[in-house]
Amino acid sequence: MKKNKTITNFVCQECGYDSPQWLGKCPECGSWNSMKEFKITNGGQRTTNTVSNNLEQSKPQKLQEVAYQKTSRIQTEYEELNNVLGGGIVRGSATLIAGDPGVGKSTLLLQLAISLSFEKKVLYISGEESVEQVKMRAVRIAESSENQHSKLSKSPDNLFLISLTDADVIVEQITEMKPDLVIIDSIQTMESQNVSGLSGSVGQVRYSALQFIRTAKLYNIPVVIVGHVTKDGMVAGPMVLSHMVDTVLFLEGEKFAKTRILRSLKNRFGPVDEVGIFLMEEDGMQEARNPEQLFLTQSGEQVPGSVLVSTLEGSRAFLVELQALAVTTRLPMPRRVVSGIDARRVELLLAVLQKHCHIPLDTMDVFVNVAGGMKLSDPGIDLGICLAVYSSFKNIPLSKAVGIAEVGLLGELRLVAGLEKRMKEAEKLGFKNIITAKKYKSLREVLNQFQKG
């Protein structure tokens, strides 16, 4: 009888680099103290017959000989989710959805499971909650949806719940049941006796994810996996986990705001720049009906320091309100407090205002905020930031102005991608004073026009 052999490797948690010995610094990505022990137990070497059988099964094929069938997708009742996925859930795909604790990952997936279970067989596997707790959450969602014409208020027929953490047993359940969709919540709670270490360790996460992905590809069953995040906002576990799956989604949002944004960080079957807008209501996650107007202030009062910008998220343009406050300070180093935008980008724009527009911001505290809790990284909002700071400094309301341009270090205005789409969205909502790099060449020229007006 062959003895089991234990192979010990050290795996980098950041990039997945394997090494037979521990290294202080990963030679692949340069991270320090990221090598974790990873043990695999096998049953010895493969026989010659096994190797020959595998060679027979893995014989190379010509491209023309490969049987191809257009990939079908499972359509959900959430159009925002369908858009982010590129048109629906691809059969046989592995999707990883991550987000901060309490942001609504499990709620969204449970609603998805309930809505699809009226037509398809759905298996919901929870490693963090018992089936009674999942049922309690489902009943709460259903009771909140009683007065709405929604599938959530009805009793699903083909939704199966199971509370398991053993990855091998889960694979057996999927193989025996063969559902149309599998949801696993979450990958950090999965473990197997074939790999040493506690649940959530590098070895357990890699092994469990590999088993689920193999099962998805073998039986053409889509698998949705929930992942935790670190304190830095990255997907917890080894970086190789993101490389193994087909799609990586990230659900973000502030705990004290009801807006939730679903982003696609990786998608082998569609675009990676699409976003979905949801609202966390009492009856669960709901799609935003007018997401283009979601981040606008409803008040008609014009106040200094408020400027609108048109930002591009995926294929859609959104109008967002930027707020700025510039006040005189007695501190030797003025404060720069920024929320929703890269603080270093704001400091760069403040330096441009001071150098080329002669605004003495070196003696003032400057606060910049994105209304609605949205996070922006679009360079097309540069002009809006400058206008908001100028409006607060001069105490001039510019609420009806929409700024769409990138600002360079020399104070010049540059065209941005999707300008026509941004302008159409602003015009559709009734804004006529749209400032772009087509009308003005420099930031100073724009501010001079406001001084004359």
Side-chain angles (χ1 to χ4, degrees):
M1 184 176 180
K2 295 182 179 180
K3 295 182 179 179
N4 291 339
K5 292 184 178 180
T6 301
I7 302 174
T8 302
N9 278 353
F10 292 88
V11 182
C12 176
Q13 287 185 303
E14 300 296 331
C15 66
Y17 177 80
D18 288 346
S19 173
Q21 61 182 1
W22 184 85
L23 300 173
K25 181 180 180 181
C26 175
E28 184 73 20
C29 63
S31 302
W32 287 91
N33 298 324
S34 61
M35 306 293 289
K36 300 297 181 182
E37 188 176 5
F38 178 50
K39 294 183 179 181
I40 301 179
T41 303
N42 57 18
Q45 299 180 350
R46 294 180 294 177
T47 63
T48 306
N49 293 334
T50 304
V51 175
S52 60
N53 291 336
N54 290 339
L55 288 176
E56 288 289 335
Q57 295 175 0
S58 59
K59 185 178 179 180
Q61 293 179 276
K62 292 182 180 180
L63 180 62
Q64 294 83 355
E65 298 176 352
V66 177
Y68 170 73
Q69 184 179 2
K70 190 173 181 180
T71 304
S72 60
R73 296 174 182 262
I74 299 175
Q75 297 294 322
T76 71
E77 68 172 10
Y78 301 103
E79 287 301 324
E80 296 289 324
L81 179 59
N82 292 335
N83 292 335
V84 174
L85 293 173
I89 303 175
V90 177
R91 298 184 184 275
S93 64
T95 302
L96 175 66
I97 178 170
D100 295 327
V103 76
K105 304 183 297 297
S106 300
T107 301
L108 177 61
L109 292 180
L110 182 58
Q111 293 180 204
L112 174 64
I114 295 174
S115 62
L116 288 178
S117 62
F118 290 94
E119 300 176 355
K120 302 182 182 299
K121 187 186 298 185
V122 181
L123 177 60
Y124 189 99
I125 302 169
S126 176
E128 300 178 345
E129 301 174 289
S130 64
V131 291
E132 290 82 7
Q133 292 172 330
V134 177
K135 175 65 179 295
M136 185 187 305
R137 187 151 43 92
V139 170
R140 177 178 58 84
I141 295 174
E143 290 177 350
S144 302
S145 306
E146 283 183 355
N147 298 328
Q148 303 180 8
H149 298 287
S150 172
K151 291 182 179 180
L152 301 179
S153 60
K154 303 176 184 178
S155 178
D157 298 326
N158 294 315
L159 177 56
F160 297 87
L161 307 177
I162 187 172
S163 180
L164 270 179
T165 58
D166 194 319
D168 299 313
V169 177
I170 291 175
V171 170
E172 293 178 0
Q173 291 288 344
I174 298 174
T175 304
E176 180 181 352
M177 184 177 175
K178 291 185 175 58
D180 297 306
L181 175 67
V182 176
I183 298 175
I184 300 174
D185 187 9
S186 65
I187 189 63
Q188 275 76 21
T189 61
M190 299 296 132
E191 58 184 357
S192 172
Q193 296 181 357
N194 295 326
V195 183
S196 63
L198 299 175
S199 58
S201 62
V202 177
Q204 294 287 0
V205 170
R206 290 186 63 181
Y207 176 86
S208 301
L210 181 60
Q211 299 303 312
F212 298 148
I213 294 173
R214 281 179 177 174
T215 306
K217 305 298 182 185
L218 182 62
Y219 297 101
N220 203 30
I221 301 173
V223 176
V224 181
I225 304 172
V226 177
H228 297 166
V229 297
T230 62
K231 61 180 181 181
D232 298 325
M234 302 299 293
V235 180
M239 190 62 187
V240 71
L241 178 62
S242 300
H243 296 292
M244 295 169 66
V245 298
D246 300 310
T247 306
V248 179
L249 304 180
F250 198 90
L251 186 63
E252 61 183 32
E254 300 293 336
K255 290 184 178 180
F256 302 103
K258 61 181 182 180
T259 306
R260 301 290 186 267
I261 301 177
L262 183 65
R263 298 182 184 273
S264 175
L265 305 182
K266 172 189 176 183
N267 193 352
R268 290 174 178 163
F269 313 109
V272 295
D273 54 358
E274 292 290 347
V275 297
I277 309 297
F278 293 87
L279 300 176
M280 177 61 82
E281 304 287 356
E282 293 182 358
D283 55 346
M285 298 282 281
Q286 301 295 329
E287 292 181 292
R289 296 184 178 179
N290 297 310
E292 294 81 6
Q293 307 177 26
L294 186 62
F295 304 99
L296 293 179
T297 302
Q298 301 299 326
S299 176
E301 183 181 358
Q302 297 188 20
V303 293
S306 174
V307 173
L308 297 178
V309 296
S310 183
T311 182
L312 209 61
E313 290 285 354
S315 60
R316 295 187 297 184
F318 295 89
L319 250 65
V320 183
E321 180 187 1
L322 293 183
Q323 299 174 343
L325 180 64
V327 293
T328 306
T329 182
R330 296 182 180 179
L331 298 175
M333 294 186 63
R335 291 175 293 178
R336 305 289 187 253
V337 182
V338 182
S339 176
I341 313 173
D342 185 8
R344 292 174 294 182
R345 185 67 182 176
V346 174
E347 290 180 357
L348 184 149
L349 296 174
L350 296 180
V352 173
L353 283 171
Q354 183 171 340
K355 173 69 176 179
H356 299 286
C357 302
H358 309 292
I359 300 178
L361 296 175
D362 56 338
T363 59
M364 310 194 74
D365 290 334
V366 179
F367 307 86
V368 180
N369 176 52
V370 180
M374 195 172 184
K375 296 181 181 178
L376 302 178
S377 58
D378 183 7
I381 68 172
D382 288 355
L383 179 58
I385 297 173
C386 295
L387 292 178
V389 174
Y390 173 80
S391 173
S392 178
F393 175 77
K394 292 290 188 178
N395 203 31
I396 301 174
L398 303 176
S399 301
K400 296 297 182 180
V402 180
I404 311 172
E406 180 182 358
V407 179
L409 285 176
L410 303 180
E412 77 278 12
L413 299 185
R414 298 180 178 180
L415 295 173
V416 294
L419 179 60
E420 297 298 329
K421 187 178 295 185
R422 300 170 192 246
M423 294 178 63
K424 286 182 181 179
E425 184 61 33
E427 292 171 353
K428 185 177 70 174
L429 296 178
F431 297 97
K432 299 180 179 180
N433 187 14
I434 304 175
I435 306 170
T436 67
K438 287 186 176 181
K439 295 182 180 180
Y440 303 94
K441 299 299 181 183
S442 66
L443 178 61
R444 188 171 183 177
E445 185 180 348
V446 175
L447 299 186
N448 289 336
Q449 292 294 325
F450 283 112
Q451 289 178 352
K452 293 178 183 180

